[in-house]
Amino acid sequence: MANETATLAAYVANLRYEDIPPKVLERAKALTLDFLGSAVRARSEAESTPSLLAMLATLGLDGKGDATVCGDAKTYTPAIAALLNGALGHSLDFDDTHADSSLHPSAPVVPAAFAVGEIVEASGRDVLTAIVAGYEVCCRLGNALDPTSHYAKGFHPTATAGTYGAAAAAAKLYKLSADQIVAAFGVSGSQAAGSLQFLVNGAWNKRYQVGAAAMNGVVAASLAREGFIGATESVEGKHGLLVGYSDNAHPDKATAGLGKIYETMKIGVKPYPSCRYTHAAIDALIAMRREHNLTPENIKSVEIGLHRNGITLTGDAATKRHARSVVGGQFSMYFTGALALDQGSFGWDDYKRLGDPAIEALADRIEVVQDPRLEGKSHPFGARVSIESGEGTLERLIPDPSGEPSSFPDAAAMQQKFLQLARPVLNERADRFADAILSLDKFDRIGRVTSLARL
């Protein structure tokens, strides 16, 4: 390990809007729009939202600030706005994914950037630069942690590496020096936390801990701004992130090609509101259903092969076969696979079919296994699907799910996904908000954009 913390801090401090390739900036705007659509919808529909808001009211933390929460009429302090937007944007499990690190970059980064951007009256260009800085930091740290090892130790990378990404975005908007960003990363190391235990009972921890990562990044950068002394070598040190959170860390991945290779361009978006490890199989099941005119009646059995990470998150038959909660469904290859086979599509509104006897019957015919052909690849999100039907055995191997960089949706598709989520909440203002996000670099103050997301 060789000064990874200081190297990343210097990168964030020195990054300029002019240095970022136009295609990276365009991708950052598209990813931001994609994330905010989920946040807007979750404010009114995610089942965990009322308890989050009630907690804030109990603690006297609701309101009393100027930062925007998407789909809300109130404004909040920056840290609380980051918490809420982060939790909301992750609640539908419809937000972006960086395959190599197996984390959701926008969920911690965008809320931190918007919250601090509003209070410092940053321009759209400044906010975009901060978002790219945050993406690069959290994705690279996720790579360095090695997601398979990180998962094996029970950690959720979006909440751990994501705290550093949020701190990077906030620090950039505060215009902190490299030494101050090292301090912010030092504080981030004390706050980086996120457990996979939510998988056991479909708990809401996953949503909260990602929002907490956004909030903690804002707090870390704010402390550093005020002269707080944070630990040095937070990433590579004897008790640092890579030592404590992984048994197979790759420190070189934290800085390899920094400033030349943009991990931002490797972030994919989700066509379905569920764990990314389910998506390649869903793609295959929908395509095979269409091509072979499959109906539930002529499907005898289905075997779905996944990477071991996918088994950990979505494939345990004892706890996943008959999902009863939205989180349980989001992390069930059985529920999502049965839904895809039954109706040939899958969207947020389909969680109303949890417990549906037709879906349960199909789920009973699905088996999920680890497929060795999917191990040892740079992307772990592929799937192999075998269906026994009246036509015999049908099989398909999907190396990558749709929405990855190689099949990234065009601007029209990205806007359509956003509007489907946001219009029921923002009505006609959803279109104006989408246009503003996609032209973010034209705004002299981010507040002119975020105001469109308020009710």
Side-chain angles (χ1 to χ4, degrees):
M1 299 190 191
N3 301 316
E4 285 80 11
T5 308
T7 301
L8 288 172
Y11 168 76
V12 173
N14 295 326
L15 183 65
R16 300 183 307 157
Y17 176 86
E18 295 78 14
D19 298 331
I20 303 172
K23 65 179 181 179
V24 177
L25 294 167
E26 290 303 308
R27 181 62 53 86
K29 287 188 282 189
L31 294 168
T32 297
L33 179 71
D34 185 66
F35 171 78
L36 293 173
S38 289
V40 168
R41 188 68 168 270
R43 172 60 185 82
S44 62
E45 291 192 14
E47 72 277 34
S48 52
T49 300
S51 56
L52 281 170
L53 297 173
M55 174 272 292
L56 296 176
T58 297
L59 298 177
L61 297 173
D62 56 331
K64 305 181 180 67
D66 297 318
T68 301
V69 169
C70 293
D72 200 319
K74 288 185 178 180
T75 53
Y76 297 78
T77 63
I80 297 303
L83 168 69
L84 285 176
N85 282 324
L88 294 174
H90 199 52
S91 290
L92 307 190
D93 226 305
F94 218 169
D95 48 321
D96 56 34
T97 306
H98 181 260
D100 292 351
S101 62
S102 196
L103 62 77
H104 304 270
S106 287
V109 169
V110 171
F114 273 51
V116 175
E118 282 189 288
I119 63 168
V120 302
E121 298 187 341
S123 69
R125 287 188 171 201
D126 289 341
V127 170
L128 272 175
T129 305
I131 288 171
V132 171
Y135 285 160
E136 294 301 310
V137 167
C138 70
C139 291
R140 289 169 173 280
L141 289 179
N143 291 345
L145 281 164
D146 181 76
T148 299
S149 177
H150 201 46
Y151 279 137
K153 291 179 76 69
F155 288 112
H156 180 209
T158 307
T160 54
T163 303
Y164 284 79
K172 186 62 184 173
L173 287 160
Y174 280 142
K175 303 186 186 303
L176 300 191
S177 68
D179 287 344
Q180 288 175 306
I181 298 172
V182 167
F185 287 163
V187 176
S188 297
S190 292
Q191 300 180 109
S195 166
L196 293 179
Q197 191 65 20
F198 69 85
L199 291 167
V200 174
N201 65 328
W204 297 337
N205 296 52
K206 182 175 188 279
R207 302 167 180 186
Y208 174 79
Q209 65 200 24
V210 171
M215 175 179 68
N216 289 338
V218 170
V219 171
S222 300
L223 283 169
R225 185 191 193 202
E226 301 305 327
F228 191 88
I229 298 174
T232 57
E233 299 181 347
S234 173
V235 172
E236 72 276 11
K238 178 181 178 181
H239 302 293
L241 183 76
L242 299 185
V243 175
Y245 289 64
S246 177
D247 289 328
N248 187 36
H250 303 280
D252 57 300
K253 291 186 177 183
T255 57
L258 187 61
K260 297 178 182 177
I261 298 172
Y262 280 88
E263 296 297 318
T264 300
M265 296 302 295
K266 301 178 184 180
I267 300 170
V269 294
K270 288 184 173 185
Y272 317 111
S274 60
C275 177
R276 190 62 163 155
Y277 283 98
T278 67
H279 285 203
I282 294 171
D283 283 340
L285 291 165
I286 290 174
M288 294 165 80
R289 178 186 185 276
R290 181 182 64 249
E291 292 166 12
H292 298 279
N293 296 313
L294 295 175
T295 64
E297 293 72 29
N298 63 16
I299 295 172
K300 299 176 182 177
S301 64
V302 180
E303 184 176 89
I304 298 174
L306 300 176
H307 184 278
R308 75 184 89 167
N309 292 352
I311 300 294
T312 298
L313 295 176
T314 74
D316 177 40
T319 59
K320 302 292 183 181
R321 188 179 296 279
H322 298 298
R324 288 293 180 269
S325 67
V326 172
V327 175
Q330 288 168 329
F331 285 84
S332 170
M333 188 68 259
Y334 304 92
F335 171 75
T336 57
L339 194 68
L341 279 172
D342 186 67
Q343 60 185 43
S345 61
F346 178 25
W348 169 247
D349 295 322
D350 294 322
Y351 281 104
K352 64 179 179 289
R353 299 199 67 188
L354 283 163
D356 184 324
I359 299 300
E360 302 271 284
L362 272 173
D364 284 334
R365 284 174 252 167
I366 296 175
E367 296 299 331
V368 183
V369 300
Q370 183 178 343
D371 193 318
R373 286 175 289 183
L374 300 171
E375 303 292 332
K377 299 182 182 299
S378 59
H379 284 193
F381 292 135
R384 188 260 308 160
V385 173
S386 298
I387 300 177
E388 291 291 335
S389 75
E391 294 186 29
T393 302
L394 307 171
E395 183 165 297
R396 182 163 301 188
L397 181 68
I398 304 279
D400 276 316
S402 55
E404 285 299 300
S406 60
S407 59
F408 198 86
D410 61 22
M414 293 296 291
Q415 193 151 356
Q416 181 182 19
K417 178 185 172 184
F418 172 85
L419 293 174
Q420 285 177 340
L421 289 169
R423 271 181 178 155
V425 180
L426 298 178
N427 300 313
E428 73 282 351
R429 197 185 307 169
D431 298 79
R432 291 161 53 204
F433 187 41
D435 290 342
I437 293 296
L438 294 176
S439 58
L440 196 59
D441 43 347
K442 303 290 195 298
F443 286 83
D444 61 345
R445 282 198 299 113
I446 189 65
R448 301 183 189 281
V449 176
T450 55
S451 63
L452 296 171
R454 299 177 189 172
L455 291 183

